[in-house]
Amino acid sequence: MIKSLTWMDSLEEPEDAAAEARLSLILARLKAAGIDVHRWDPLTAPAGCGFQTLPALEIDGEVKCTGRKPTAEEWRQWIDFDALPRRCGCASGGCASAGCAGCPGREVCHGK
């Protein structure tokens, strides 16, 4: 299981609202699972936290993706979502109580 994840946003406005919602849900789910999650942009990042290309994703100190948001398949390659608590974070109460039909995180969490 991963221990830490850092997401560095670019300063540009997100183009895809669904992708932004999916990213927020993923980060919240990982944080709820006890993973040390940080989300910064170039203005709020601590000194020395520099990525050459933004956005960028780092997992356990290894840069996994730069210049774009990861695909659902990439997230599943890097993170064992089945080992995490079974709630995707959808506003209706999560997978257990309401299903994931309308959840933007469904594709990443469940590969559907």
Side-chain angles (χ1 to χ4, degrees):
M1 173 108 107
I2 69 169
K3 293 181 171 84
S4 68
L5 181 143
T6 299
W7 176 261
M8 179 73 83
D9 283 313
S10 67
L11 289 176
E12 298 173 9
E13 287 294 318
E15 294 178 17
D16 181 354
E20 182 62 24
R22 189 170 33 254
L23 175 64
S24 294
L25 288 170
I26 290 167
L27 298 181
R29 183 170 182 213
L30 295 173
K31 189 170 191 165
I35 295 167
D36 187 22
V37 175
H38 299 278
R39 185 174 189 174
W40 294 311
D41 64 42
L43 300 177
T44 61
C49 181
F51 292 97
Q52 298 297 318
T53 306
L54 299 177
L57 173 67
E58 181 181 272
I59 298 175
D60 289 338
E62 182 180 340
V63 176
K64 296 290 190 177
C65 184
T66 62
R68 61 182 174 77
K69 287 184 171 75
T71 65
E73 180 60 34
E74 288 171 322
W75 280 111
R76 287 191 305 274
Q77 287 174 5
W78 301 324
I79 299 170
D80 182 3
F81 286 95
D82 289 330
L84 299 175
R86 276 309 244 181
R87 287 182 54 115
C88 64
C90 63
S92 60
C95 302
S97 65
C100 288
C103 176
R106 178 174 156 241
E107 180 183 354
V108 174
C109 295
H110 308 292
K112 300 174 188 170

